[in-house]
Amino acid sequence: DSGVTQTPKHLITATGQRVTLRCSPRSGDLSVYWYQQSLDQGLQFLIHYYNGEERAKGNILERFSAQQFPDLHSELNLSSLELGDSALYFCASSVEPGLETQYFGPGTRLLVL
Amino acid sequence: GQQVMQIPQYQHVQEGEDFTTYCNSSTTLSNIQWYKQRPGGHPVFLIQLVKSGEVKKQKRLTFQFGEAKKNSSLHITATQTTDVGTYFCAGKYGGSQGNLIFGKGTKLSVKP
C-alpha cells in the first residue's frame, strides 16, 4: 500500500459523458501527478500540481482538466469522452518536485462505451 | 520533445536465466528512476540513480547509470517467477523542476 488513494477503482460510461477521478496523496506529500496508461502503453504524463498550483502539463487533452484543492487532494476531470479515452489513470504523489520518488495510487480503470 | 527509449518491449525467459532492459535518452538526464508494475498493479518505485557511472544493487537486481547520464540498464540475475511484470525507466530532465518521462517499459515473462 503506497498511501495514495484513488476513487473510483472502476468507471464505465458512455461517449460524450464527463467523469471526475479523485486522488488523495500520501500524508505530507504536496505534489500530485496524473498519468494515463493505455493497453500495452507506457505511462503518459498528463499534469502536475504542487501545493494547489499547476506546475507542468504533459500530453493532456483540452477536454481534460485537473485541480488540486487546499486539502491537497486532486481531481482529474475528463469531458466529451471518446472511446480512445479508455485507459488506466494513475495519480502519484511526492513530497515536492525534485529528485525523489513518486508513489503511485492503485489507479482508476475507465471504460468508455 | 524529450523521450526515453526503452528496449526490448517484451522479454520471455526461462526461470534461472538472466534479463536486461535498457533505457536511452538523446539528452543528459538529471537522474533516472526504475519502477516495476506487476500484472494488474500499479508502478512501484525500485531505485533512483543520480551520479554519472553509478551502479546500485538490490539482491539479484543491478542498476547502472551511464557515464554521460544518457543511458541506464537494469539487469536481473537468475530470474524467478516473482520477477514477472513490466519494468519502466523514468528519466528526469531539467533538475528539480523537471518531470519524469517514462519509457514504454519492458514486459518480462518468466517460464517456470
Short mmCIF file of all heavy atoms in Angstrom, two decimals, chain B residues 3-44:
data_model
loop_
_atom_site.label_atom_id
_atom_site.label_comp_id
_atom_site.label_asym_id
_atom_site.label_seq_id
_atom_site.Cartn_x
_atom_site.Cartn_y
_atom_site.Cartn_z
N GLN B 3 12.48 12.34 -24.85
CA GLN B 3 11.99 10.97 -24.92
C GLN B 3 12.98 10.04 -24.26
O GLN B 3 14.19 10.23 -24.36
CB GLN B 3 11.83 10.54 -26.38
CG GLN B 3 10.43 10.66 -26.92
CD GLN B 3 10.29 10.00 -28.28
OE1 GLN B 3 11.15 10.11 -29.13
NE2 GLN B 3 9.20 9.30 -28.47
N VAL B 4 12.43 9.03 -23.62
CA VAL B 4 13.26 7.97 -23.08
C VAL B 4 12.88 6.69 -23.82
O VAL B 4 11.73 6.26 -23.76
CB VAL B 4 13.03 7.81 -21.56
CG1 VAL B 4 13.80 6.60 -21.05
CG2 VAL B 4 13.46 9.07 -20.82
N MET B 5 13.84 6.14 -24.53
CA MET B 5 13.60 4.93 -25.30
C MET B 5 14.01 3.72 -24.47
O MET B 5 15.10 3.70 -23.90
CB MET B 5 14.40 4.96 -26.61
CG MET B 5 14.17 6.21 -27.45
SD MET B 5 12.43 6.42 -27.91
CE MET B 5 12.22 5.01 -28.98
N GLN B 6 13.14 2.73 -24.44
CA GLN B 6 13.41 1.54 -23.63
C GLN B 6 13.26 0.30 -24.49
O GLN B 6 12.28 0.15 -25.22
CB GLN B 6 12.45 1.48 -22.44
CG GLN B 6 12.80 0.41 -21.44
CD GLN B 6 11.95 0.46 -20.18
OE1 GLN B 6 11.11 1.35 -20.00
NE2 GLN B 6 12.15 -0.51 -19.31
N ILE B 7 14.25 -0.58 -24.41
CA ILE B 7 14.21 -1.85 -25.13
C ILE B 7 14.70 -2.99 -24.25
O ILE B 7 15.47 -2.76 -23.31
CB ILE B 7 15.10 -1.79 -26.41
CG1 ILE B 7 16.55 -1.43 -26.06
CG2 ILE B 7 14.52 -0.85 -27.45
CD1 ILE B 7 17.50 -1.63 -27.22
N PRO B 8 14.24 -4.22 -24.54
CA PRO B 8 13.22 -4.57 -25.52
C PRO B 8 11.82 -4.28 -24.98
O PRO B 8 11.67 -3.96 -23.81
CB PRO B 8 13.43 -6.08 -25.69
CG PRO B 8 13.89 -6.53 -24.34
CD PRO B 8 14.74 -5.40 -23.80
N GLN B 9 10.82 -4.41 -25.83
CA GLN B 9 9.44 -4.18 -25.39
C GLN B 9 8.94 -5.39 -24.61
O GLN B 9 8.20 -5.24 -23.64
CB GLN B 9 8.55 -3.94 -26.61
CG GLN B 9 7.16 -3.44 -26.25
CD GLN B 9 6.35 -3.05 -27.47
OE1 GLN B 9 6.84 -3.14 -28.60
NE2 GLN B 9 5.12 -2.65 -27.25
N TYR B 10 9.36 -6.58 -25.06
CA TYR B 10 8.97 -7.81 -24.39
C TYR B 10 10.21 -8.71 -24.23
O TYR B 10 11.12 -8.67 -25.06
CB TYR B 10 7.92 -8.60 -25.20
CG TYR B 10 6.64 -7.85 -25.46
CD1 TYR B 10 6.46 -7.16 -26.66
CD2 TYR B 10 5.62 -7.83 -24.52
CE1 TYR B 10 5.29 -6.47 -26.91
CE2 TYR B 10 4.44 -7.14 -24.77
CZ TYR B 10 4.28 -6.48 -25.96
OH TYR B 10 3.12 -5.79 -26.20
N GLN B 11 10.21 -9.49 -23.17
CA GLN B 11 11.27 -10.46 -22.97
C GLN B 11 10.68 -11.69 -22.29
O GLN B 11 10.05 -11.58 -21.23
CB GLN B 11 12.39 -9.88 -22.11
CG GLN B 11 13.60 -10.76 -21.96
CD GLN B 11 14.50 -10.73 -23.17
OE1 GLN B 11 14.97 -9.69 -23.59
NE2 GLN B 11 14.72 -11.89 -23.75
N HIS B 12 10.89 -12.83 -22.94
CA HIS B 12 10.43 -14.09 -22.35
C HIS B 12 11.65 -14.90 -21.97
O HIS B 12 12.52 -15.13 -22.83
CB HIS B 12 9.58 -14.87 -23.36
CG HIS B 12 8.48 -14.05 -23.97
ND1 HIS B 12 7.31 -13.78 -23.31
CD2 HIS B 12 8.40 -13.45 -25.18
CE1 HIS B 12 6.55 -13.03 -24.10
NE2 HIS B 12 7.17 -12.82 -25.23
N VAL B 13 11.76 -15.31 -20.73
CA VAL B 13 12.93 -16.07 -20.30
C VAL B 13 12.49 -17.31 -19.54
O VAL B 13 11.36 -17.39 -19.03
CB VAL B 13 13.86 -15.23 -19.39
CG1 VAL B 13 14.37 -14.00 -20.15
CG2 VAL B 13 13.17 -14.83 -18.10
N GLN B 14 13.40 -18.26 -19.48
CA GLN B 14 13.21 -19.44 -18.66
C GLN B 14 13.67 -19.08 -17.25
O GLN B 14 14.65 -18.34 -17.07
CB GLN B 14 14.07 -20.59 -19.21
CG GLN B 14 13.76 -21.94 -18.66
CD GLN B 14 12.50 -22.57 -19.25
OE1 GLN B 14 12.17 -22.35 -20.41
NE2 GLN B 14 11.80 -23.33 -18.44
N GLU B 15 12.97 -19.58 -16.27
CA GLU B 15 13.38 -19.32 -14.90
C GLU B 15 14.84 -19.70 -14.71
O GLU B 15 15.29 -20.77 -15.15
CB GLU B 15 12.50 -20.11 -13.92
CG GLU B 15 12.71 -19.72 -12.47
CD GLU B 15 11.70 -20.40 -11.54
OE1 GLU B 15 11.13 -21.43 -11.94
OE2 GLU B 15 11.48 -19.89 -10.44
N GLY B 16 15.59 -18.81 -14.10
CA GLY B 16 17.01 -19.05 -13.89
C GLY B 16 17.90 -18.30 -14.88
O GLY B 16 19.11 -18.12 -14.63
N GLU B 17 17.31 -17.87 -15.99
CA GLU B 17 18.08 -17.10 -16.96
C GLU B 17 18.18 -15.65 -16.51
O GLU B 17 17.39 -15.17 -15.69
CB GLU B 17 17.42 -17.17 -18.35
CG GLU B 17 17.50 -18.55 -18.98
CD GLU B 17 16.85 -18.58 -20.36
OE1 GLU B 17 16.03 -17.68 -20.66
OE2 GLU B 17 17.16 -19.51 -21.13
N ASP B 18 19.14 -14.94 -17.08
CA ASP B 18 19.30 -13.53 -16.76
C ASP B 18 18.43 -12.68 -17.68
O ASP B 18 18.00 -13.12 -18.76
CB ASP B 18 20.76 -13.10 -16.92
CG ASP B 18 21.67 -13.74 -15.88
OD1 ASP B 18 21.15 -14.45 -14.98
OD2 ASP B 18 22.89 -13.54 -15.97
N PHE B 19 18.21 -11.43 -17.26
CA PHE B 19 17.37 -10.49 -18.01
C PHE B 19 17.96 -9.10 -17.91
O PHE B 19 18.44 -8.70 -16.84
CB PHE B 19 15.96 -10.52 -17.43
CG PHE B 19 15.12 -9.30 -17.73
CD1 PHE B 19 14.56 -9.11 -18.98
CD2 PHE B 19 14.90 -8.33 -16.76
CE1 PHE B 19 13.79 -7.99 -19.26
CE2 PHE B 19 14.14 -7.20 -17.03
CZ PHE B 19 13.58 -7.04 -18.28
N THR B 20 17.94 -8.37 -19.03
CA THR B 20 18.41 -6.99 -19.01
C THR B 20 17.48 -6.12 -19.83
O THR B 20 17.04 -6.52 -20.92
CB THR B 20 19.83 -6.87 -19.59
OG1 THR B 20 20.72 -7.75 -18.89
CG2 THR B 20 20.35 -5.44 -19.43
N THR B 21 17.17 -4.95 -19.33
CA THR B 21 16.43 -3.94 -20.07
C THR B 21 17.25 -2.66 -20.10
O THR B 21 17.96 -2.36 -19.14
CB THR B 21 15.02 -3.71 -19.46
OG1 THR B 21 14.40 -2.61 -20.14
CG2 THR B 21 15.08 -3.41 -17.99
N TYR B 22 17.12 -1.92 -21.22
CA TYR B 22 17.98 -0.77 -21.45
C TYR B 22 17.13 0.47 -21.72
O TYR B 22 16.10 0.40 -22.39
CB TYR B 22 18.87 -1.00 -22.67
CG TYR B 22 19.77 -2.20 -22.57
CD1 TYR B 22 19.33 -3.45 -23.01
CD2 TYR B 22 21.05 -2.10 -22.03
CE1 TYR B 22 20.15 -4.57 -22.92
CE2 TYR B 22 21.88 -3.21 -21.95
CZ TYR B 22 21.41 -4.44 -22.38
OH TYR B 22 22.23 -5.54 -22.29
N CYS B 23 17.63 1.59 -21.23
CA CYS B 23 16.99 2.87 -21.50
C CYS B 23 17.99 3.84 -22.07
O CYS B 23 19.15 3.89 -21.63
CB CYS B 23 16.42 3.46 -20.21
SG CYS B 23 14.82 2.81 -19.82
N ASN B 24 17.53 4.62 -23.04
CA ASN B 24 18.40 5.61 -23.67
C ASN B 24 17.69 6.93 -23.84
O ASN B 24 16.50 6.97 -24.20
CB ASN B 24 18.86 5.11 -25.04
CG ASN B 24 19.94 4.07 -24.93
OD1 ASN B 24 21.07 4.36 -24.58
ND2 ASN B 24 19.58 2.84 -25.19
N SER B 25 18.45 7.99 -23.62
CA SER B 25 17.95 9.33 -23.84
C SER B 25 18.91 10.06 -24.78
O SER B 25 20.12 9.84 -24.71
CB SER B 25 17.85 10.08 -22.51
OG SER B 25 17.64 11.46 -22.73
N SER B 26 18.37 10.93 -25.62
CA SER B 26 19.25 11.67 -26.54
C SER B 26 19.93 12.84 -25.84
O SER B 26 20.93 13.37 -26.32
CB SER B 26 18.45 12.17 -27.74
OG SER B 26 17.39 12.98 -27.32
N THR B 27 19.37 13.24 -24.69
CA THR B 27 19.96 14.34 -23.93
C THR B 27 20.24 13.91 -22.50
O THR B 27 19.71 12.91 -22.02
CB THR B 27 19.03 15.57 -23.93
OG1 THR B 27 17.74 15.19 -23.46
CG2 THR B 27 18.88 16.15 -25.33
N THR B 28 21.06 14.66 -21.84
CA THR B 28 21.51 14.31 -20.49
C THR B 28 20.36 14.36 -19.49
O THR B 28 19.54 15.28 -19.51
CB THR B 28 22.61 15.29 -20.04
OG1 THR B 28 23.68 15.24 -20.98
CG2 THR B 28 23.15 14.88 -18.67
N LEU B 29 20.33 13.38 -18.64
CA LEU B 29 19.31 13.28 -17.61
C LEU B 29 19.83 13.82 -16.28
O LEU B 29 21.01 13.72 -15.97
CB LEU B 29 18.90 11.82 -17.42
CG LEU B 29 18.25 11.13 -18.62
CD1 LEU B 29 18.28 9.62 -18.45
CD2 LEU B 29 16.83 11.61 -18.79
N SER B 30 18.93 14.38 -15.48
CA SER B 30 19.28 14.76 -14.11
C SER B 30 19.41 13.51 -13.25
O SER B 30 20.31 13.39 -12.44
CB SER B 30 18.22 15.69 -13.52
OG SER B 30 18.14 16.88 -14.25
N ASN B 31 18.45 12.63 -13.41
CA ASN B 31 18.52 11.35 -12.72
C ASN B 31 17.63 10.37 -13.46
O ASN B 31 16.89 10.76 -14.37
CB ASN B 31 18.09 11.46 -11.25
CG ASN B 31 16.60 11.73 -11.07
OD1 ASN B 31 15.76 10.91 -11.41
ND2 ASN B 31 16.27 12.88 -10.53
N ILE B 32 17.71 9.13 -13.11
CA ILE B 32 16.83 8.13 -13.69
C ILE B 32 16.29 7.25 -12.58
O ILE B 32 17.00 6.93 -11.62
CB ILE B 32 17.53 7.30 -14.79
CG1 ILE B 32 16.50 6.53 -15.61
CG2 ILE B 32 18.58 6.38 -14.20
CD1 ILE B 32 16.98 6.15 -17.00
N GLN B 33 15.02 6.91 -12.69
CA GLN B 33 14.38 6.05 -11.71
C GLN B 33 13.88 4.80 -12.42
O GLN B 33 13.59 4.82 -13.62
CB GLN B 33 13.21 6.79 -11.04
CG GLN B 33 13.64 8.04 -10.29
CD GLN B 33 12.48 8.77 -9.66
OE1 GLN B 33 11.36 8.29 -9.60
NE2 GLN B 33 12.75 9.97 -9.14
N TRP B 34 13.76 3.75 -11.67
CA TRP B 34 13.22 2.49 -12.17
C TRP B 34 12.00 2.08 -11.34
O TRP B 34 12.02 2.19 -10.10
CB TRP B 34 14.27 1.38 -12.15
CG TRP B 34 15.31 1.53 -13.21
CD1 TRP B 34 16.50 2.21 -13.12
CD2 TRP B 34 15.26 0.99 -14.54
NE1 TRP B 34 17.18 2.13 -14.31
CE2 TRP B 34 16.46 1.38 -15.20
CE3 TRP B 34 14.34 0.21 -15.23
CZ2 TRP B 34 16.74 1.01 -16.52
CZ3 TRP B 34 14.63 -0.16 -16.53
CH2 TRP B 34 15.81 0.25 -17.17
N TYR B 35 10.98 1.63 -12.05
CA TYR B 35 9.74 1.19 -11.42
C TYR B 35 9.39 -0.20 -11.95
O TYR B 35 9.72 -0.55 -13.08
CB TYR B 35 8.59 2.14 -11.75
CG TYR B 35 8.71 3.51 -11.12
CD1 TYR B 35 9.56 4.48 -11.65
CD2 TYR B 35 7.95 3.85 -10.00
CE1 TYR B 35 9.67 5.72 -11.06
CE2 TYR B 35 8.05 5.10 -9.41
CZ TYR B 35 8.90 6.02 -9.95
OH TYR B 35 9.02 7.27 -9.37
N LYS B 36 8.65 -0.94 -11.11
CA LYS B 36 8.14 -2.24 -11.52
C LYS B 36 6.63 -2.23 -11.36
O LYS B 36 6.10 -1.77 -10.34
CB LYS B 36 8.73 -3.36 -10.67
CG LYS B 36 8.17 -4.74 -11.02
CD LYS B 36 8.72 -5.82 -10.09
CE LYS B 36 8.12 -7.17 -10.43
NZ LYS B 36 8.63 -8.23 -9.53
N GLN B 37 5.95 -2.74 -12.38
CA GLN B 37 4.50 -2.84 -12.32
C GLN B 37 4.11 -4.30 -12.52
O GLN B 37 4.32 -4.88 -13.59
CB GLN B 37 3.84 -1.97 -13.40
CG GLN B 37 2.33 -1.93 -13.33
CD GLN B 37 1.73 -0.98 -14.36
OE1 GLN B 37 2.35 -0.62 -15.35
NE2 GLN B 37 0.49 -0.57 -14.15
N ARG B 38 3.59 -4.89 -11.46
CA ARG B 38 3.11 -6.28 -11.57
C ARG B 38 1.82 -6.30 -12.37
O ARG B 38 1.10 -5.30 -12.43
CB ARG B 38 2.86 -6.87 -10.19
CG ARG B 38 4.11 -7.06 -9.36
CD ARG B 38 3.77 -7.69 -8.02
NE ARG B 38 4.92 -7.74 -7.14
CZ ARG B 38 5.83 -8.70 -7.16
NH1 ARG B 38 5.72 -9.69 -8.02
NH2 ARG B 38 6.85 -8.67 -6.31
N PRO B 39 1.49 -7.42 -13.00
CA PRO B 39 0.25 -7.51 -13.76
C PRO B 39 -0.95 -7.12 -12.90
O PRO B 39 -1.12 -7.63 -11.78
CB PRO B 39 0.19 -8.99 -14.15
CG PRO B 39 1.62 -9.44 -14.19
CD PRO B 39 2.30 -8.66 -13.09
N GLY B 40 -1.76 -6.18 -13.38
CA GLY B 40 -2.92 -5.71 -12.64
C GLY B 40 -2.61 -4.75 -11.52
O GLY B 40 -3.51 -4.32 -10.80
N GLY B 41 -1.35 -4.38 -11.37
CA GLY B 41 -0.96 -3.49 -10.27
C GLY B 41 -0.56 -2.12 -10.73
O GLY B 41 -0.78 -1.73 -11.87
N HIS B 42 0.02 -1.37 -9.81
CA HIS B 42 0.47 -0.03 -10.13
C HIS B 42 1.98 0.03 -10.06
O HIS B 42 2.62 -0.83 -9.45
CB HIS B 42 -0.15 0.98 -9.15
CG HIS B 42 0.19 0.72 -7.72
ND1 HIS B 42 -0.51 -0.15 -6.93
CD2 HIS B 42 1.19 1.21 -6.94
CE1 HIS B 42 0.01 -0.18 -5.72
NE2 HIS B 42 1.05 0.62 -5.70
N PRO B 43 2.59 1.02 -10.71
CA PRO B 43 4.05 1.13 -10.66
C PRO B 43 4.55 1.32 -9.24
O PRO B 43 3.98 2.09 -8.47
CB PRO B 43 4.34 2.35 -11.52
CG PRO B 43 3.15 2.48 -12.41
CD PRO B 43 1.99 2.04 -11.57
N VAL B 44 5.63 0.61 -8.94
CA VAL B 44 6.24 0.70 -7.62
C VAL B 44 7.71 1.07 -7.81
O VAL B 44 8.42 0.45 -8.61
CB VAL B 44 6.12 -0.63 -6.85
CG1 VAL B 44 6.89 -0.56 -5.53
CG2 VAL B 44 4.67 -0.97 -6.59
#
